[in-house]
Amino acid sequence: MTLNVILVTYNHSKFIQDSLRGILFQKTNFDFDIIVADDYSTDDTLAQIREVEAKSTISFRYLSSERNLGISQNYRRAFEACDAKYVAVLEGDDFWTTPDRLQKHVDFLEHHYECAMSYNRFIRGNIEAARYVVFPEMDSSKEYHLFTARDVASNNIIGNFSCCVYRKSALDTLPKEMFDFTTYDWFTNIMVGKAGMIGCLTDVMSFYRIHSEGMRSSNDEIDNMNKLLEYIQLYDEFTDHMFQDEFASLRAAIEDAIASITHPVHPKANLARPILRRIKDLTPPILVYLLKLIIPSKIWIKIGGDPR
């Protein structure tokens, strides 16, 4: 088997059909299977998957689910269950948009042994609000760009799991202890990046969905950012301060973000380089998106944010 597709689900009944279509219409010259890592969904997500499986020639495997494990342990068991050369991840509320996506990633990794993983540009979209943006912004005249773990640590240039394809050998280098605390795509990709370069394919080949179930009030978002500050401290210690400078820059940007919400006329807003432009440069992209939902557009533009 050349590639495993990990389909990560939890109560994704509204979105899972799009995800499954994105997998099943892939055209490859190699075999792949689907590993369903459902984290004890209470809706009919699994029933929908099994119904699609019955009509498909692709092999499905299901990881047992007797209780909710949480995101970190669910990913740990999914990675450990993989047995192919490459591993692609798709979360159940995202989807792939081109039928040659898996083929392009495997072709790239087959010719770029310096890379531990690859990812592609994607559409970050809120269908309910009709807001869409292609991420990341970069020179698309080149077929690919190369990045490092330090680039990911200082500015989450990847942004989600569903655009990623990994070498299984790189996933095998991840310490099991990192899954004992909350580990999202950001830290996982930093750790994978320690094993090699990170390739970004400039073709737009997936859709990262922002939906109302995931949106938080401004107070919740402040709590979320404070929690992220705690994670940064934890990640910094876990990596023996290897990314200390990168984490310090990100920490400062998040603290500025909190100040901009709690004190809209904060003195720092008068700095030559606007706070929100700095946030855009340094923070995980999903945080920028959520801030734009929270802060009124007139204030956002006034203190330097992109009007889009």
Side-chain angles (χ1 to χ4, degrees), residues 123-143:
I123 298 169
R124 190 170 68 227
N126 183 333
I127 295 176
E128 297 162 352
R131 294 179 180 174
Y132 307 93
V133 62
V134 173
F135 184 87
E137 297 178 3
M138 61 173 55
D139 179 6
S140 59
S141 65
K142 298 180 180 180
E143 291 184 4

Side-chain angles (χ1 to χ4, degrees), residues 294-305:
I294 294 166
I295 301 173
S297 59
K298 290 183 180 179
I299 297 177
W300 175 268
I301 295 170
K302 184 176 180 180
I303 59 180

